């Protein structure tokens, strides 16, 4: 989601990188050209992706994994809260009229594929000690629990096949230790 101090533009394209002048030129989907007084070696001319303009004129650019991916806002659905329908955004691959529907602001992966959100909401009170432990690392209880769930279940949010629910493991060691903890704390018993 956009914060109040930033704007996101999808299907933006890096038009020019001038390392000598330290300038990046980006073209938005509507054709407007924006110039930024900085350049990053990780960017490539011609890459399409999400341009985020931050307060103060700084910018971020995240290239699409699938460079044929294009937003299709004419096919978006705003949702209908009264009827319980969630909003969705539409994408398509360049040259195709096949609609790819997903959560708003979510960017599909290679060939427009992704893992759909199939989560369920669980209301869980947590003790102050857990909240304080999380805060000691600058995290919320939700962030820590989401990270642990992703680790113990081996959920990885690859850019090639991203997860719409946003769950992503903290790494291979974390997955290994979470699995070991779970097996030790809750072993299977054959009855």
């Amino acid at each position: 989601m956009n914060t109040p101090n930033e704007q996101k533009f999808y299907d933006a394209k890096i038009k020019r990188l001038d390392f000598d002048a330290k300038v990046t030129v980006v073209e938005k989907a509507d054709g407007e050209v924006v110039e930024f007084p900085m350049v990053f070696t990780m960017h490539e001319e011609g890459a399409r992706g999400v341009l985020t303009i931050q307060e103060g004129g700084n910018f971020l650019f995240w290239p699409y994994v699938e460079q044929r991916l294009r937003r299709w806002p004419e096919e978006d659905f705003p949702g209908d809260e009264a009827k319980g329908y969630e909003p969705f955004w539409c994408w398509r691959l360049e040259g195709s009229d096949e609609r790819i529907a997903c959560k708003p602001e979510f960017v599909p992966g290679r060939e427009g594929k992704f893992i759909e959100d199939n989560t369920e909401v669980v209301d869980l009170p947590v003790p102050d000690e857990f909240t304080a432990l999380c805060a000691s690392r600058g995290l919320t209880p939700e962030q820590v629990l989401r990270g642990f769930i992703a680790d113990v279940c081996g959920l990885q949010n690859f850019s090639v096949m991203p997860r719409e629910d946003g769950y992503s493991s903290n790494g291979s060691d974390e997955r290994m230790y979470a699995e070991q903890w779970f097996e030790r704390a809750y072993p299977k018993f054959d009855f």
Side-chain angles (χ1 to χ4, degrees), residues 152-183:
V152 78
C153 294
L155 306 178
Q156 299 179 54
N157 196 350
F158 296 112
S159 55
V160 171
M161 181 68 96
R163 298 183 60 87
E164 197 177 32
D165 57 26
Y167 276 92
S168 186
S169 168
N170 291 296
S172 58
D173 287 351
E174 290 78 1
R175 290 192 299 275
M176 177 185 68
Y177 288 125
E179 180 184 347
Q180 288 175 359
W181 172 84
F182 189 80
E183 289 299 324

PDB file of all heavy atoms in Angstrom, residues 152-183:
ATOM      1  N   VAL A 152       8.078 -22.332   9.467  1.00  0.00           N
ATOM      2  CA  VAL A 152       7.683 -23.686   9.856  1.00  0.00           C
ATOM      3  C   VAL A 152       6.941 -24.404   8.726  1.00  0.00           C
ATOM      4  O   VAL A 152       7.002 -25.630   8.618  1.00  0.00           O
ATOM      5  CB  VAL A 152       6.869 -23.681  11.173  1.00  0.00           C
ATOM      6  CG1 VAL A 152       5.435 -23.252  10.962  1.00  0.00           C
ATOM      7  CG2 VAL A 152       6.931 -25.039  11.869  1.00  0.00           C
ATOM      8  N   CYS A 153       6.278 -23.656   7.864  1.00  0.00           N
ATOM      9  CA  CYS A 153       5.559 -24.259   6.733  1.00  0.00           C
ATOM     10  C   CYS A 153       6.384 -24.267   5.448  1.00  0.00           C
ATOM     11  O   CYS A 153       5.932 -24.775   4.425  1.00  0.00           O
ATOM     12  CB  CYS A 153       4.248 -23.515   6.488  1.00  0.00           C
ATOM     13  SG  CYS A 153       3.075 -23.693   7.845  1.00  0.00           S
ATOM     14  N   GLY A 154       7.578 -23.678   5.481  1.00  0.00           N
ATOM     15  CA  GLY A 154       8.433 -23.654   4.297  1.00  0.00           C
ATOM     16  C   GLY A 154       7.888 -22.782   3.176  1.00  0.00           C
ATOM     17  O   GLY A 154       8.079 -23.088   2.006  1.00  0.00           O
ATOM     18  N   LEU A 155       7.207 -21.690   3.542  1.00  0.00           N
ATOM     19  CA  LEU A 155       6.603 -20.807   2.543  1.00  0.00           C
ATOM     20  C   LEU A 155       7.634 -19.795   2.060  1.00  0.00           C
ATOM     21  O   LEU A 155       8.194 -19.050   2.860  1.00  0.00           O
ATOM     22  CB  LEU A 155       5.398 -20.078   3.130  1.00  0.00           C
ATOM     23  CG  LEU A 155       4.333 -20.967   3.756  1.00  0.00           C
ATOM     24  CD1 LEU A 155       3.215 -20.108   4.334  1.00  0.00           C
ATOM     25  CD2 LEU A 155       3.783 -21.957   2.741  1.00  0.00           C
ATOM     26  N   GLN A 156       7.855 -19.758   0.758  1.00  0.00           N
ATOM     27  CA  GLN A 156       8.828 -18.828   0.190  1.00  0.00           C
ATOM     28  C   GLN A 156       8.142 -17.959  -0.845  1.00  0.00           C
ATOM     29  O   GLN A 156       7.376 -18.449  -1.661  1.00  0.00           O
ATOM     30  CB  GLN A 156       9.984 -19.614  -0.425  1.00  0.00           C
ATOM     31  CG  GLN A 156      10.699 -20.457   0.623  1.00  0.00           C
ATOM     32  CD  GLN A 156      11.820 -21.247   0.028  1.00  0.00           C
ATOM     33  OE1 GLN A 156      12.684 -20.688  -0.628  1.00  0.00           O
ATOM     34  NE2 GLN A 156      11.817 -22.545   0.255  1.00  0.00           N
ATOM     35  N   ASN A 157       8.406 -16.679  -0.781  1.00  0.00           N
ATOM     36  CA  ASN A 157       7.773 -15.720  -1.680  1.00  0.00           C
ATOM     37  C   ASN A 157       8.741 -15.382  -2.803  1.00  0.00           C
ATOM     38  O   ASN A 157       9.292 -14.291  -2.865  1.00  0.00           O
ATOM     39  CB  ASN A 157       7.376 -14.465  -0.896  1.00  0.00           C
ATOM     40  CG  ASN A 157       6.389 -13.609  -1.644  1.00  0.00           C
ATOM     41  OD1 ASN A 157       6.121 -13.826  -2.808  1.00  0.00           O
ATOM     42  ND2 ASN A 157       5.858 -12.632  -0.961  1.00  0.00           N
ATOM     43  N   PHE A 158       8.964 -16.344  -3.689  1.00  0.00           N
ATOM     44  CA  PHE A 158       9.868 -16.131  -4.818  1.00  0.00           C
ATOM     45  C   PHE A 158       9.273 -15.112  -5.777  1.00  0.00           C
ATOM     46  O   PHE A 158       8.073 -15.063  -5.980  1.00  0.00           O
ATOM     47  CB  PHE A 158      10.084 -17.443  -5.583  1.00  0.00           C
ATOM     48  CG  PHE A 158      10.769 -18.498  -4.793  1.00  0.00           C
ATOM     49  CD1 PHE A 158      10.094 -19.634  -4.421  1.00  0.00           C
ATOM     50  CD2 PHE A 158      12.094 -18.352  -4.415  1.00  0.00           C
ATOM     51  CE1 PHE A 158      10.720 -20.636  -3.693  1.00  0.00           C
ATOM     52  CE2 PHE A 158      12.734 -19.334  -3.696  1.00  0.00           C
ATOM     53  CZ  PHE A 158      12.046 -20.485  -3.323  1.00  0.00           C
ATOM     54  N   SER A 159      10.125 -14.335  -6.395  1.00  0.00           N
ATOM     55  CA  SER A 159       9.630 -13.377  -7.382  1.00  0.00           C
ATOM     56  C   SER A 159       9.091 -14.096  -8.608  1.00  0.00           C
ATOM     57  O   SER A 159       8.231 -13.582  -9.311  1.00  0.00           O
ATOM     58  CB  SER A 159      10.742 -12.401  -7.771  1.00  0.00           C
ATOM     59  OG  SER A 159      11.875 -13.102  -8.228  1.00  0.00           O
ATOM     60  N   VAL A 160       9.565 -15.316  -8.864  1.00  0.00           N
ATOM     61  CA  VAL A 160       9.089 -16.078 -10.015  1.00  0.00           C
ATOM     62  C   VAL A 160       7.653 -16.544  -9.794  1.00  0.00           C
ATOM     63  O   VAL A 160       6.830 -16.513 -10.697  1.00  0.00           O
ATOM     64  CB  VAL A 160      10.020 -17.296 -10.267  1.00  0.00           C
ATOM     65  CG1 VAL A 160       9.436 -18.220 -11.315  1.00  0.00           C
ATOM     66  CG2 VAL A 160      11.393 -16.813 -10.686  1.00  0.00           C
ATOM     67  N   MET A 161       7.333 -16.984  -8.574  1.00  0.00           N
ATOM     68  CA  MET A 161       5.988 -17.437  -8.225  1.00  0.00           C
ATOM     69  C   MET A 161       5.637 -16.837  -6.863  1.00  0.00           C
ATOM     70  O   MET A 161       5.630 -17.511  -5.836  1.00  0.00           O
ATOM     71  CB  MET A 161       5.944 -18.969  -8.176  1.00  0.00           C
ATOM     72  CG  MET A 161       4.580 -19.536  -7.840  1.00  0.00           C
ATOM     73  SD  MET A 161       3.358 -19.285  -9.113  1.00  0.00           S
ATOM     74  CE  MET A 161       3.460 -20.835  -9.966  1.00  0.00           C
ATOM     75  N   PRO A 162       5.363 -15.518  -6.834  1.00  0.00           N
ATOM     76  CA  PRO A 162       5.112 -14.846  -5.548  1.00  0.00           C
ATOM     77  C   PRO A 162       3.799 -15.300  -4.910  1.00  0.00           C
ATOM     78  O   PRO A 162       2.898 -15.784  -5.581  1.00  0.00           O
ATOM     79  CB  PRO A 162       5.063 -13.369  -5.934  1.00  0.00           C
ATOM     80  CG  PRO A 162       4.658 -13.361  -7.363  1.00  0.00           C
ATOM     81  CD  PRO A 162       5.233 -14.616  -7.961  1.00  0.00           C
ATOM     82  N   ARG A 163       3.738 -15.129  -3.610  1.00  0.00           N
ATOM     83  CA  ARG A 163       2.554 -15.482  -2.839  1.00  0.00           C
ATOM     84  C   ARG A 163       1.706 -14.232  -2.637  1.00  0.00           C
ATOM     85  O   ARG A 163       2.197 -13.230  -2.132  1.00  0.00           O
ATOM     86  CB  ARG A 163       2.941 -16.070  -1.487  1.00  0.00           C
ATOM     87  CG  ARG A 163       3.744 -17.361  -1.575  1.00  0.00           C
ATOM     88  CD  ARG A 163       4.015 -17.909  -0.191  1.00  0.00           C
ATOM     89  NE  ARG A 163       2.774 -18.194   0.500  1.00  0.00           N
ATOM     90  CZ  ARG A 163       2.106 -19.355   0.415  1.00  0.00           C
ATOM     91  NH1 ARG A 163       2.572 -20.333  -0.332  1.00  0.00           N
ATOM     92  NH2 ARG A 163       0.975 -19.513   1.068  1.00  0.00           N
ATOM     93  N   GLU A 164       0.462 -14.313  -2.998  1.00  0.00           N
ATOM     94  CA  GLU A 164      -0.451 -13.190  -2.841  1.00  0.00           C
ATOM     95  C   GLU A 164      -0.653 -12.831  -1.368  1.00  0.00           C
ATOM     96  O   GLU A 164      -0.908 -11.680  -1.033  1.00  0.00           O
ATOM     97  CB  GLU A 164      -1.795 -13.537  -3.505  1.00  0.00           C
ATOM     98  CG  GLU A 164      -2.675 -12.353  -3.768  1.00  0.00           C
ATOM     99  CD  GLU A 164      -3.954 -12.748  -4.491  1.00  0.00           C
ATOM    100  OE1 GLU A 164      -4.469 -13.877  -4.279  1.00  0.00           O
ATOM    101  OE2 GLU A 164      -4.441 -11.922  -5.270  1.00  0.00           O
ATOM    102  N   ASP A 165      -0.502 -13.814  -0.473  1.00  0.00           N
ATOM    103  CA  ASP A 165      -0.680 -13.552   0.954  1.00  0.00           C
ATOM    104  C   ASP A 165       0.539 -12.894   1.590  1.00  0.00           C
ATOM    105  O   ASP A 165       0.500 -12.452   2.731  1.00  0.00           O
ATOM    106  CB  ASP A 165      -1.047 -14.831   1.709  1.00  0.00           C
ATOM    107  CG  ASP A 165      -0.022 -15.953   1.544  1.00  0.00           C
ATOM    108  OD1 ASP A 165       1.168 -15.680   1.286  1.00  0.00           O
ATOM    109  OD2 ASP A 165      -0.417 -17.130   1.681  1.00  0.00           O
ATOM    110  N   GLY A 166       1.660 -12.821   0.849  1.00  0.00           N
ATOM    111  CA  GLY A 166       2.852 -12.134   1.341  1.00  0.00           C
ATOM    112  C   GLY A 166       3.716 -12.945   2.288  1.00  0.00           C
ATOM    113  O   GLY A 166       4.748 -12.463   2.736  1.00  0.00           O
ATOM    114  N   TYR A 167       3.337 -14.169   2.608  1.00  0.00           N
ATOM    115  CA  TYR A 167       4.150 -14.979   3.517  1.00  0.00           C
ATOM    116  C   TYR A 167       5.472 -15.326   2.849  1.00  0.00           C
ATOM    117  O   TYR A 167       5.514 -15.729   1.695  1.00  0.00           O
ATOM    118  CB  TYR A 167       3.416 -16.260   3.911  1.00  0.00           C
ATOM    119  CG  TYR A 167       2.465 -16.054   5.065  1.00  0.00           C
ATOM    120  CD1 TYR A 167       1.140 -15.725   4.837  1.00  0.00           C
ATOM    121  CD2 TYR A 167       2.912 -16.177   6.376  1.00  0.00           C
ATOM    122  CE1 TYR A 167       0.270 -15.520   5.894  1.00  0.00           C
ATOM    123  CE2 TYR A 167       2.045 -15.975   7.441  1.00  0.00           C
ATOM    124  CZ  TYR A 167       0.726 -15.652   7.193  1.00  0.00           C
ATOM    125  OH  TYR A 167      -0.126 -15.444   8.235  1.00  0.00           O
ATOM    126  N   SER A 168       6.559 -15.167   3.622  1.00  0.00           N
ATOM    127  CA  SER A 168       7.878 -15.456   3.075  1.00  0.00           C
ATOM    128  C   SER A 168       8.822 -15.860   4.201  1.00  0.00           C
ATOM    129  O   SER A 168       8.955 -15.154   5.202  1.00  0.00           O
ATOM    130  CB  SER A 168       8.432 -14.225   2.364  1.00  0.00           C
ATOM    131  OG  SER A 168       9.646 -14.540   1.728  1.00  0.00           O
ATOM    132  N   SER A 169       9.478 -16.985   4.006  1.00  0.00           N
ATOM    133  CA  SER A 169      10.424 -17.511   4.989  1.00  0.00           C
ATOM    134  C   SER A 169      11.584 -16.536   5.193  1.00  0.00           C
ATOM    135  O   SER A 169      11.930 -15.754   4.315  1.00  0.00           O
ATOM    136  CB  SER A 169      10.952 -18.854   4.497  1.00  0.00           C
ATOM    137  OG  SER A 169      12.055 -19.272   5.263  1.00  0.00           O
ATOM    138  N   ASN A 170      12.198 -16.637   6.346  1.00  0.00           N
ATOM    139  CA  ASN A 170      13.367 -15.821   6.668  1.00  0.00           C
ATOM    140  C   ASN A 170      14.669 -16.441   6.177  1.00  0.00           C
ATOM    141  O   ASN A 170      15.718 -15.825   6.283  1.00  0.00           O
ATOM    142  CB  ASN A 170      13.444 -15.596   8.182  1.00  0.00           C
ATOM    143  CG  ASN A 170      12.334 -14.694   8.662  1.00  0.00           C
ATOM    144  OD1 ASN A 170      12.264 -13.531   8.298  1.00  0.00           O
ATOM    145  ND2 ASN A 170      11.440 -15.236   9.468  1.00  0.00           N
ATOM    146  N   GLY A 171      14.614 -17.673   5.656  1.00  0.00           N
ATOM    147  CA  GLY A 171      15.814 -18.306   5.137  1.00  0.00           C
ATOM    148  C   GLY A 171      15.829 -19.796   5.405  1.00  0.00           C
ATOM    149  O   GLY A 171      15.020 -20.327   6.166  1.00  0.00           O
ATOM    150  N   SER A 172      16.797 -20.489   4.801  1.00  0.00           N
ATOM    151  CA  SER A 172      16.843 -21.953   4.900  1.00  0.00           C
ATOM    152  C   SER A 172      17.147 -22.431   6.315  1.00  0.00           C
ATOM    153  O   SER A 172      16.558 -23.407   6.779  1.00  0.00           O
ATOM    154  CB  SER A 172      17.862 -22.518   3.915  1.00  0.00           C
ATOM    155  OG  SER A 172      19.144 -21.981   4.168  1.00  0.00           O
ATOM    156  N   ASP A 173      18.059 -21.769   7.013  1.00  0.00           N
ATOM    157  CA  ASP A 173      18.346 -22.171   8.402  1.00  0.00           C
ATOM    158  C   ASP A 173      17.129 -21.964   9.285  1.00  0.00           C
ATOM    159  O   ASP A 173      16.815 -22.805  10.134  1.00  0.00           O
ATOM    160  CB  ASP A 173      19.525 -21.382   8.966  1.00  0.00           C
ATOM    161  CG  ASP A 173      20.862 -21.813   8.390  1.00  0.00           C
ATOM    162  OD1 ASP A 173      20.898 -22.841   7.680  1.00  0.00           O
ATOM    163  OD2 ASP A 173      21.864 -21.116   8.646  1.00  0.00           O
ATOM    164  N   GLU A 174      16.442 -20.846   9.088  1.00  0.00           N
ATOM    165  CA  GLU A 174      15.254 -20.565   9.885  1.00  0.00           C
ATOM    166  C   GLU A 174      14.179 -21.619   9.640  1.00  0.00           C
ATOM    167  O   GLU A 174      13.501 -22.065  10.572  1.00  0.00           O
ATOM    168  CB  GLU A 174      14.715 -19.167   9.574  1.00  0.00           C
ATOM    169  CG  GLU A 174      15.600 -18.043  10.082  1.00  0.00           C
ATOM    170  CD  GLU A 174      16.834 -17.770   9.217  1.00  0.00           C
ATOM    171  OE1 GLU A 174      17.024 -18.458   8.172  1.00  0.00           O
ATOM    172  OE2 GLU A 174      17.608 -16.876   9.580  1.00  0.00           O
ATOM    173  N   ARG A 175      14.016 -22.041   8.374  1.00  0.00           N
ATOM    174  CA  ARG A 175      13.058 -23.104   8.067  1.00  0.00           C
ATOM    175  C   ARG A 175      13.450 -24.404   8.767  1.00  0.00           C
ATOM    176  O   ARG A 175      12.619 -25.092   9.349  1.00  0.00           O
ATOM    177  CB  ARG A 175      12.957 -23.314   6.551  1.00  0.00           C
ATOM    178  CG  ARG A 175      12.273 -22.171   5.834  1.00  0.00           C
ATOM    179  CD  ARG A 175      11.927 -22.504   4.391  1.00  0.00           C
ATOM    180  NE  ARG A 175      13.082 -22.824   3.561  1.00  0.00           N
ATOM    181  CZ  ARG A 175      13.840 -21.920   2.945  1.00  0.00           C
ATOM    182  NH1 ARG A 175      13.566 -20.622   3.070  1.00  0.00           N
ATOM    183  NH2 ARG A 175      14.852 -22.289   2.183  1.00  0.00           N
ATOM    184  N   MET A 176      14.743 -24.728   8.740  1.00  0.00           N
ATOM    185  CA  MET A 176      15.223 -25.951   9.365  1.00  0.00           C
ATOM    186  C   MET A 176      14.963 -25.936  10.878  1.00  0.00           C
ATOM    187  O   MET A 176      14.443 -26.899  11.447  1.00  0.00           O
ATOM    188  CB  MET A 176      16.721 -26.131   9.093  1.00  0.00           C
ATOM    189  CG  MET A 176      17.322 -27.352   9.763  1.00  0.00           C
ATOM    190  SD  MET A 176      19.112 -27.449   9.556  1.00  0.00           S
ATOM    191  CE  MET A 176      19.650 -26.047  10.545  1.00  0.00           C
ATOM    192  N   TYR A 177      15.326 -24.837  11.539  1.00  0.00           N
ATOM    193  CA  TYR A 177      15.147 -24.757  12.989  1.00  0.00           C
ATOM    194  C   TYR A 177      13.669 -24.721  13.383  1.00  0.00           C
ATOM    195  O   TYR A 177      13.281 -25.313  14.394  1.00  0.00           O
ATOM    196  CB  TYR A 177      15.890 -23.547  13.560  1.00  0.00           C
ATOM    197  CG  TYR A 177      17.385 -23.718  13.565  1.00  0.00           C
ATOM    198  CD1 TYR A 177      18.202 -22.784  12.955  1.00  0.00           C
ATOM    199  CD2 TYR A 177      17.987 -24.835  14.160  1.00  0.00           C
ATOM    200  CE1 TYR A 177      19.584 -22.943  12.942  1.00  0.00           C
ATOM    201  CE2 TYR A 177      19.358 -24.999  14.154  1.00  0.00           C
ATOM    202  CZ  TYR A 177      20.156 -24.048  13.549  1.00  0.00           C
ATOM    203  OH  TYR A 177      21.517 -24.210  13.545  1.00  0.00           O
ATOM    204  N   ALA A 178      12.847 -24.044  12.605  1.00  0.00           N
ATOM    205  CA  ALA A 178      11.417 -24.008  12.904  1.00  0.00           C
ATOM    206  C   ALA A 178      10.821 -25.408  12.788  1.00  0.00           C
ATOM    207  O   ALA A 178      10.018 -25.826  13.630  1.00  0.00           O
ATOM    208  CB  ALA A 178      10.697 -23.038  11.971  1.00  0.00           C
ATOM    209  N   GLU A 179      11.231 -26.143  11.750  1.00  0.00           N
ATOM    210  CA  GLU A 179      10.733 -27.513  11.579  1.00  0.00           C
ATOM    211  C   GLU A 179      11.205 -28.398  12.732  1.00  0.00           C
ATOM    212  O   GLU A 179      10.428 -29.187  13.272  1.00  0.00           O
ATOM    213  CB  GLU A 179      11.217 -28.087  10.249  1.00  0.00           C
ATOM    214  CG  GLU A 179      10.737 -29.501  10.012  1.00  0.00           C
ATOM    215  CD  GLU A 179      11.291 -30.105   8.732  1.00  0.00           C
ATOM    216  OE1 GLU A 179      11.848 -29.374   7.897  1.00  0.00           O
ATOM    217  OE2 GLU A 179      11.162 -31.328   8.592  1.00  0.00           O
ATOM    218  N   GLN A 180      12.472 -28.259  13.142  1.00  0.00           N
ATOM    219  CA  GLN A 180      12.986 -29.037  14.268  1.00  0.00           C
ATOM    220  C   GLN A 180      12.230 -28.720  15.550  1.00  0.00           C
ATOM    221  O   GLN A 180      11.885 -29.615  16.314  1.00  0.00           O
ATOM    222  CB  GLN A 180      14.486 -28.791  14.451  1.00  0.00           C
ATOM    223  CG  GLN A 180      15.342 -29.416  13.379  1.00  0.00           C
ATOM    224  CD  GLN A 180      16.816 -29.055  13.527  1.00  0.00           C
ATOM    225  OE1 GLN A 180      17.225 -28.322  14.420  1.00  0.00           O
ATOM    226  NE2 GLN A 180      17.631 -29.585  12.615  1.00  0.00           N
ATOM    227  N   TRP A 181      11.974 -27.431  15.786  1.00  0.00           N
ATOM    228  CA  TRP A 181      11.218 -27.038  16.986  1.00  0.00           C
ATOM    229  C   TRP A 181       9.831 -27.664  16.958  1.00  0.00           C
ATOM    230  O   TRP A 181       9.382 -28.233  17.951  1.00  0.00           O
ATOM    231  CB  TRP A 181      11.096 -25.505  17.067  1.00  0.00           C
ATOM    232  CG  TRP A 181      10.181 -25.087  18.170  1.00  0.00           C
ATOM    233  CD1 TRP A 181      10.507 -24.927  19.490  1.00  0.00           C
ATOM    234  CD2 TRP A 181       8.781 -24.828  18.064  1.00  0.00           C
ATOM    235  NE1 TRP A 181       9.390 -24.579  20.205  1.00  0.00           N
ATOM    236  CE2 TRP A 181       8.324 -24.512  19.353  1.00  0.00           C
ATOM    237  CE3 TRP A 181       7.868 -24.830  17.009  1.00  0.00           C
ATOM    238  CZ2 TRP A 181       6.989 -24.197  19.613  1.00  0.00           C
ATOM    239  CZ3 TRP A 181       6.561 -24.523  17.269  1.00  0.00           C
ATOM    240  CH2 TRP A 181       6.120 -24.213  18.557  1.00  0.00           C
ATOM    241  N   PHE A 182       9.154 -27.571  15.820  1.00  0.00           N
ATOM    242  CA  PHE A 182       7.793 -28.092  15.712  1.00  0.00           C
ATOM    243  C   PHE A 182       7.762 -29.608  15.946  1.00  0.00           C
ATOM    244  O   PHE A 182       6.921 -30.120  16.685  1.00  0.00           O
ATOM    245  CB  PHE A 182       7.190 -27.754  14.344  1.00  0.00           C
ATOM    246  CG  PHE A 182       5.733 -28.062  14.249  1.00  0.00           C
ATOM    247  CD1 PHE A 182       4.798 -27.194  14.785  1.00  0.00           C
ATOM    248  CD2 PHE A 182       5.286 -29.220  13.631  1.00  0.00           C
ATOM    249  CE1 PHE A 182       3.437 -27.466  14.714  1.00  0.00           C
ATOM    250  CE2 PHE A 182       3.941 -29.515  13.547  1.00  0.00           C
ATOM    251  CZ  PHE A 182       3.006 -28.629  14.095  1.00  0.00           C
ATOM    252  N   GLU A 183       8.707 -30.338  15.337  1.00  0.00           N
ATOM    253  CA  GLU A 183       8.753 -31.790  15.508  1.00  0.00           C
ATOM    254  C   GLU A 183       9.051 -32.176  16.952  1.00  0.00           C
ATOM    255  O   GLU A 183       8.540 -33.172  17.455  1.00  0.00           O
ATOM    256  CB  GLU A 183       9.793 -32.409  14.564  1.00  0.00           C
ATOM    257  CG  GLU A 183       9.398 -32.378  13.107  1.00  0.00           C
ATOM    258  CD  GLU A 183       8.112 -33.151  12.816  1.00  0.00           C
ATOM    259  OE1 GLU A 183       7.871 -34.203  13.452  1.00  0.00           O
ATOM    260  OE2 GLU A 183       7.339 -32.688  11.961  1.00  0.00           O
TER     261      GLU A 183
END
